[in-house]
Amino acid sequence: MSVPLLKLNHVSKSFAGVDALSDVSLEVSPGEVLCLLGDNGAGKSTLIKVLSGVHKPTRGSVEVEGRPVVFDSPKDAGDLGIATVHQYGGTFPLMSVARCFFVGKEPTRGVWPFQYFDKKTAAEITVREMQKLGITRVTDGDRLVGSLSGGERQSLAIARAVYFGAKVLILDEPTSALGVKQATHVLRLIMQARAHGLAVVFVTHNVTHAMAVGDQFAVLIHGRMADDFRKGERTREQITDLMAGGEAMADLEAELAGLTGSGNS
Amino acid sequence: MTAHAPHSARRTPSRSAAQPAAAPAPEGPAPQASRRSASSFLRRPETGALMGTVTVFIFFAIFGGAQFLTTGGVASWLNIAAELAIIALPVALLMVAGAFDLSVGSVVAGSSVTLAVVSGTYGMPIIVGILAALAVGAITGFVNGFIVVRTSVHSFIVTLATQFALAGLTLGLARVLTGSTSVSLSPDPFWKSAFGTLINGQFEVAIFWAIGIALVVAWVLQMTKFGNWIFATGGDNLSARAAGIPVAKVKISLFVASGLGAALVGIIQTMLYNGAQTGTGQSFVFNSIVAVVVGGVLLTGGYGSVIGVMLGCLTFAIVNQGIYYTGWNSDWAALILGILLLAAVLMNNTFRKLALSSGAPKTTTRKGH
Ligand SMILES: Nc1ncnc2c1ncn2[C@@H]1O[C@H](COP(=O)(O)OP(=O)(O)OP(=O)(O)O)[C@@H](O)[C@H]1O
Ligand SMILES: [Mg+2]
């Protein structure tokens, strides 16, 4: 196998003594989708924040293309081609789509002190890149991000990552707030990114979404890696059981049946 | 790299066409263009502010009589608006970036007294006094910014603390050094004309300072990369940081700018009145916030415009001075300002909601249900 783009070696992260992650190791390879599964509070977002330079691991190390790295800020991760769309935010509702697309990477013209943000070019590129991802409704770069639908916002963030040459695209629950159609659209974008050779880390609660696009799967329970497998190695039932915290779904169903049964009698 | 993209681009229209329930409004270029030009005015941050200024202007033009519109009348509110704008413009940038500065009042007093003490009491060259006054503003701003980004204490509290601390320091030092709370200074004509002269006997030079600063601030906010960072920092601090923006530097530099604006007003007042009072300038603390918020800047950050803030300053000044021309008791001015503030904020909220829904035919129809 080739050198993984991104690798975590025995990473732990604790907040004020509480372990959000313990001893997690994983690898992400180009042209592959890694699905990160787990219940609420399992540590998925924390893991992603370690990968994207928001948090420094308490123990363990991060490697990019075989070289150990320490991210002092999200910018360091971004400079190495790691683009992240965080669970909450990542877009600015009161900014125009063009301003938002180019945040931190504004195209400029002229020389200082007359150097200015080239908003016209920014708007053209934003609209063009959104259209490439099938968002044809956004025709005006001045439109506010807050007026976009959830799916369009995710598309904007993904378009941005792809445009700025990300090698690793990290998406924290991009489909969780979306309807069926928009979620399908985002899944299609993930497959497109994969086809372009990007490594994708996709966090979700939805087993159907995960199975549709995943090559590789990692399940977190209470901050530990509970299982780690490739496409086709587990059935849907097994994955669902794992995500329910290892408790067999059948048991849960029986329990629920018992509850409703007793409620009826 | 983008070989696959056009396929998906083609797919979307056919999908929505196959969905009769969605039935988006016709999106021909002509109707959309006209709709856009009509709504683009309404969705700008300064639209509400413009309506406010026009309303109070017409109101006082009617009830203030002819006096209100004479050059003397116009000068009276332009002077107020100008001094306010010099402080409100950087305060607005800071608010767009998501922070408050309540220390501007004490910075006006502190820098004013510093200039008078250095160049008046101690007889040093005026330029030294000016630099010392600006240093008071810059240092206060830096301290505010440093504490805000290093601790998680809200800027409201931090700057409230420096506001009190600096007021006390100014009063204490003035008494120790001069034995008085008012310090006089007689600036030479060059410096007097640069900062504190009355043009035509009526118009303060501050008006030109305000216009110059407005142009610079508008350039920075609307046209530069740094302006985009300001919007992003106030829009969502964490996302801005995640996008690689040096949010701490952005905030600290804006606090320094705010301190410098207040210091400039301190210098202007010292030159204008040939001396300094330790209690001067305190009204700028809330007046600047009123002007900025009436001007359409969102109190929680991420949204606002320079034209709006200028209009907010004008609105404030027109009400503040216009009341004298009506012949009514000036006590009513504060009542009008209070009502105006509330009305302006409600109006700005409405326009912002409009901005958040315009240009999205799908969302608009959905909300209509
Ligand atoms: N900044 C923080 N300070 C303290 N504790 C934190 C912090 N961030 C996360 N945690 C804790 O770490 C644990 C894992 O949280 P995390 O957000 O990673 O979960 P998650 O798997 O993303 O959950 P969800 O599916 O609900 O998004 C939780 O118990 C959470 O309370
Ligand atoms: Mg999460």
Side-chain angles (χ1 to χ4, degrees), chain B residues 217-307:
Chain B
V217 170
W219 167 265
V220 168
L221 186 62
Q222 295 298 329
M223 300 301 292
T224 69
K225 191 155 111 168
F226 188 76
N228 211 37
W229 296 1
I230 295 175
F231 281 118
T233 301
D236 183 349
N237 200 55
L238 288 178
S239 300
R241 185 168 116 71
I245 291 172
V247 290
K249 279 184 198 155
V250 170
K251 279 201 174 160
I252 291 178
S253 51
L254 293 177
F255 272 110
V256 171
S258 174
L260 286 173
L264 178 56
V265 170
I267 294 166
I268 286 170
Q269 293 198 342
T270 308
M271 301 285 191
L272 191 64
Y273 305 121
N274 300 318
Q277 305 278 336
T278 51
T280 192
Q282 296 301 337
S283 61
F284 283 111
V285 176
F286 288 115
N287 294 356
S288 63
I289 293 178
V290 172
V292 166
V293 171
V294 167
V297 176
L298 185 60
L299 197 70
T300 47
Y303 196 69
S305 76
V306 169
I307 299 176

Side-chain angles (χ1 to χ4, degrees), chain A residues 38-257:
Chain A
D39 212 349
N40 291 116
K44 306 180 296 297
S45 295
T46 306
L47 180 60
I48 274 177
K49 285 175 183 164
V50 170
L51 289 175
S52 60
V54 176
H55 293 323
K56 277 189 194 168
T58 314
R59 280 183 301 281
S61 62
V62 183
E63 280 177 29
V64 175
E65 294 178 305
R67 260 170 285 138
V69 290
V70 175
F71 300 137
D72 285 322
S73 74
K75 187 177 187 304
D76 292 352
D79 290 346
L80 290 174
I82 299 166
T84 310
V85 182
H86 289 284
Q87 186 170 6
Y88 305 106
T91 53
F92 306 89
L94 288 165
M95 281 170 84
S96 72
V97 289
R99 279 183 175 274
C100 181
F101 192 93
F102 283 96
V103 158
K105 298 199 167 68
E106 295 81 2
T108 53
R109 274 171 179 258
V111 282
W112 198 88
F114 301 108
Q115 191 184 50
Y116 64 94
F117 173 20
D118 188 356
K119 283 186 278 184
K120 192 163 161 283
T121 305
E124 281 167 13
I125 294 173
T126 306
V127 171
R128 192 184 72 213
E129 295 299 313
M130 292 282 279
Q131 288 189 335
K132 278 189 195 165
L133 297 191
I135 305 297
T136 48
R137 248 181 237 281
V138 180
T139 52
D140 178 4
D142 282 337
R143 228 177 102 173
L144 297 188
V145 172
S147 74
L148 303 183
S149 73
E152 287 168 341
R153 276 190 229 189
Q154 288 292 338
S155 305
L156 177 70
I158 296 171
R160 180 175 194 273
V162 172
Y163 179 77
F164 288 110
K167 292 184 206 150
V168 183
L169 178 60
I170 302 177
L171 304 168
D172 196 353
E173 301 198 23
T175 56
S176 62
L178 305 183
V180 179
K181 239 174 82 178
Q182 293 207 343
T184 313
H185 185 84
V186 170
L187 293 178
R188 191 176 290 125
L189 296 186
I190 292 175
M191 293 309 276
Q192 271 182 35
R194 176 181 179 268
H196 289 319
L198 271 77
V200 181
V201 179
F202 171 39
V203 177
T204 183
H205 286 288
N206 189 313
V207 182
T208 311
H209 291 171
M211 292 186 77
V213 297
D215 297 297
Q216 210 196 326
F217 300 81
V219 183
L220 287 179
I221 297 176
H222 298 315
R224 290 183 180 279
M225 187 75 94
D227 200 2
D228 181 8
F229 51 92
R230 295 194 63 83
K231 192 186 179 101
E233 290 178 358
R234 299 285 185 281
T235 63
R236 170 183 296 268
E237 284 69 32
Q238 284 173 315
I239 301 176
T240 316
D241 285 354
L242 270 167
M243 285 179 65
E247 200 176 341
M249 205 63 190
D251 290 355
L252 189 64
E253 271 164 19
E255 197 184 316
L256 287 173

